[in-house]
Amino acid sequence: MEYDATRGWRLLAVLLFLAGLVALGLLGERWQAGIDRRLAPDEEVLVYYATQDAMGLVGLPTRLPREQVTPEGVLDALFSGARRRGDYVNPIPMGGRVQWVQVSGPVATVSLNQALVDNHPGGSAGELLTVYGIVETLTQLPGIQRVQLLVEGQRVESLKGHVDLTRPLAPDPGRIVQRRAERLQTGTPPAEGP
């Protein structure tokens, strides 16, 4: 039997084609996941910043990739957000970090680092804005109705002696300046939810 060179080349071409399909199939999953991430629409969430006069909080729209709209993701947007956004101030002190978040039913438990407490300027208004900036940012997520704050994984009475942290906190719509302004302008109660 005589060797046919064209037949050998055809066989080699078929094998290379099949190997290319296998490689494309393996890499295609990775490429598709990256494409899906880039094409997936971002979602708008609110991160709550303080007014300059420390009279309340304002929900500032922030766009996050859909997969980051989680308790950890929205808190990261708040904690790593700019120190100032326009006329508003980030209520989280420099060095403040979230150690972990655990959601159990309607309660999200958040462990904060000691640096948040140590670097906090204090004062009742400042402490209220920090605590409720976290609470309001988290409770916009479906299913989360209250937030229990811990420091270094331990229950504390307060951050700086003003806000009772011994129990989970519900959102306080009275602290949201935009809702208060809406009520004053229209004479109607503010809409529920952020």
Side-chain angles (χ1 to χ4, degrees):
M1 185 177 215
E2 201 171 298
Y3 176 73
D4 182 5
T6 57
R7 190 171 167 187
W9 283 112
R10 274 191 240 148
L11 180 60
L12 180 61
V14 168
L15 289 174
L16 286 173
F17 178 74
L18 290 174
L21 284 177
V22 169
L24 190 59
L26 294 173
L27 292 175
E29 287 181 29
R30 287 187 193 163
W31 290 338
Q32 188 62 47
I35 290 169
D36 288 347
R37 266 194 309 278
R38 281 188 222 108
L39 294 179
D42 289 348
E43 279 192 39
E44 187 173 273
V45 297
L46 298 175
V47 291
Y48 285 84
Y49 273 53
T51 59
Q52 286 184 17
D53 61 4
M55 294 303 292
L57 295 166
V58 174
L60 301 179
T62 302
R63 300 207 58 82
L64 293 178
R66 183 168 281 147
E67 69 270 7
Q68 290 180 19
V69 180
T70 63
E72 295 85 355
V74 297
L75 285 178
D76 183 55
L78 174 63
F79 276 68
S80 66
R83 299 308 319 149
R84 298 183 72 80
R85 281 183 60 183
D87 291 335
Y88 307 108
V89 180
N90 192 321
I92 306 302
M94 293 292 289
R97 300 278 178 264
V98 173
Q99 296 177 319
W100 51 263
V101 179
Q102 181 180 19
V103 178
S104 179
V107 177
T109 302
V110 180
S111 180
L112 306 169
N113 68 347
Q114 184 64 42
L116 184 138
V117 177
D118 294 343
N119 297 339
H120 199 283
S124 58
E127 187 175 341
L128 280 166
L129 294 171
T130 297
V131 167
Y132 281 96
I134 295 168
V135 170
E136 296 290 343
T137 297
L138 262 179
T139 56
Q140 73 186 300
L141 296 177
I144 298 177
Q145 298 171 7
R146 294 184 318 263
V147 178
Q148 176 69 61
L149 295 177
L150 309 176
V151 175
E152 298 290 334
Q154 303 296 313
R155 283 193 188 256
V156 293
E157 290 185 24
S158 67
L159 293 180
K160 291 297 221 184
H162 302 285
V163 181
D164 181 7
L165 299 182
T166 60
R167 58 183 172 70
L169 300 170
D172 182 357
R175 302 219 182 278
I176 309 300
V177 173
Q178 288 171 325
R179 290 186 190 148
R180 193 176 314 134
E182 177 184 320
R183 183 175 57 234
L184 292 173
Q185 290 172 358
T186 64
T188 60
E192 286 299 313

